[in-house]
Amino acid sequence: MLQKFRMAIPNKGRLRDPAVKLLEQMGIQTHIDERTYISKTNDPDLELLLLRAFDIPLYVQYGAADLGVTGRDVIVERDAKVYELKKLDFGECQLVVATPAASRISSLDDLPPDIKIATEYPNTTARFFESRGVHPEILSLRGATEIAPSLGLADMIVDLSSSGATLHRNGLRVVGKILDSTAEMIANSVSFRVNRARIDDLLDKLNGKASGTRRIEGRE
Ligand code: PRP
């Protein structure tokens, strides 16, 4: 039996609803309920995978999914070898370094050597600081990172900021930016060649907004 073409979208979080809207734009109809991880669509050859945004780069890199929608932040964190097909117009945010507003640290140039940083992005954080000659202790968390400094767990955090409201509410201020992120459509590199016509057709349905194709190489 021929394997179906599979597209992965986030099943939770801030990218889920806009990704579901994107399906409508592409003429993909499906029925999604909370505990469904794989779903049929109106196209008998197309299956939808509902996965965690953080895991989608892995599924796409290793070919378990042909296409995926996820944030650039997690593609970089996973150092995923995938094709970046299209930057999407949602999920805009920045990955920033933030400290308590009262901290004596005012820039990334005056960090104490024994600094502790809490983050959901340990790989990106390590690469960023090590490229600046700093070797912080990185504490890997699974969310609510903004509370870590006020509880004494860490001196700083690296986390996403969009409106800035969460940082502000937790008494934190930005002292540096690591990267800009939006949602992206990514493809498995083999599938991109084998299924080029199908992928082009889906991209065409996204109102001709595709911004060209380029390979995401490993990031250092
Ligand atoms: C992200 C991020 C911040 C928040 C920032 O969380 O981790 O907590 O958004 O947004 P703001 O600047 O508009 O306040 P997300 O909702 O993605 O969930 P998470 O806690 O799972 O990271």
Side-chain angles (χ1 to χ4, degrees):
M1 196 180 70
L2 212 61
Q3 188 181 306
K4 293 194 190 283
F5 189 77
R6 290 180 172 149
M7 180 171 164
I9 66 165
N11 63 351
K12 290 183 178 181
R14 67 206 159 82
L15 300 182
R16 181 197 182 271
D17 290 348
V20 170
K21 275 203 181 130
L22 203 71
L23 297 178
E24 289 167 22
Q25 262 180 281
M26 291 188 286
I28 300 169
Q29 291 164 15
T30 188
H31 175 72
I32 300 172
D33 65 49
E34 287 313 309
R35 292 283 158 191
T36 300
Y37 300 118
I38 184 160
S39 178
K40 289 182 179 158
T41 72
N42 56 326
D43 177 345
D45 293 329
L46 175 66
E47 278 178 346
L48 202 63
L49 305 179
L50 292 310
L51 305 170
R52 300 304 296 262
F54 246 95
D55 296 334
I56 288 175
L58 278 189
Y59 281 89
V60 173
Q61 175 171 339
Y62 290 99
D66 299 280
L67 286 183
V69 172
T70 191
R72 174 168 184 256
D73 53 313
V74 299
I75 300 165
V76 172
E77 175 63 16
R78 292 291 202 178
D79 197 16
K81 310 295 186 290
V82 293
Y83 277 106
E84 182 184 29
L85 294 177
K86 181 171 164 59
K87 209 170 148 174
L88 301 168
D89 60 3
F90 59 87
E92 202 169 319
C93 57
Q94 299 181 329
L95 188 66
V96 299
V97 187
T99 62
S103 166
R104 274 180 296 179
I105 299 167
S106 60
S107 92
L108 297 181
D109 297 324
D110 63 1
L111 298 179
D114 56 349
I115 189 118
K116 285 200 194 77
I117 303 179
T119 185
E120 289 182 78
Y121 298 82
N123 298 323
T124 311
T125 301
R127 287 197 292 265
F128 176 78
F129 282 97
E130 282 166 17
S131 74
R132 304 174 70 96
V134 180
H135 302 278
E137 185 173 347
I138 296 173
L139 308 174
S140 183
L141 299 182
R142 296 295 174 92
T145 307
E146 291 90 345
I147 196 69
S150 67
L151 295 177
L153 182 69
D155 305 297
M156 308 169 89
I157 66 163
V158 166
D159 201 3
L160 294 183
S161 177
S162 179
S163 66
T166 311
L167 290 179
H168 182 72
R169 203 169 303 144
N170 288 281
L172 299 167
R173 71 181 148 82
V174 173
V175 289
K177 182 177 87 173
I178 297 183
L179 58 83
D180 291 303
S181 182
T182 64
E184 292 186 355
M185 176 84 75
I186 56 175
N188 173 266
S189 57
V190 174
S191 179
F192 179 71
R193 287 194 296 273
V194 174
N195 298 297
R196 185 65 192 261
R198 176 191 279 271
I199 290 172
D200 282 349
D201 182 51
L202 285 171
L203 288 176
D204 284 349
K205 288 184 179 144
L206 291 181
N207 298 325
K209 286 184 197 160
S211 56
T213 301
R214 66 189 168 85
R215 178 86 187 264
I216 297 179
E217 300 294 352
R219 298 171 186 77
E220 294 305 321

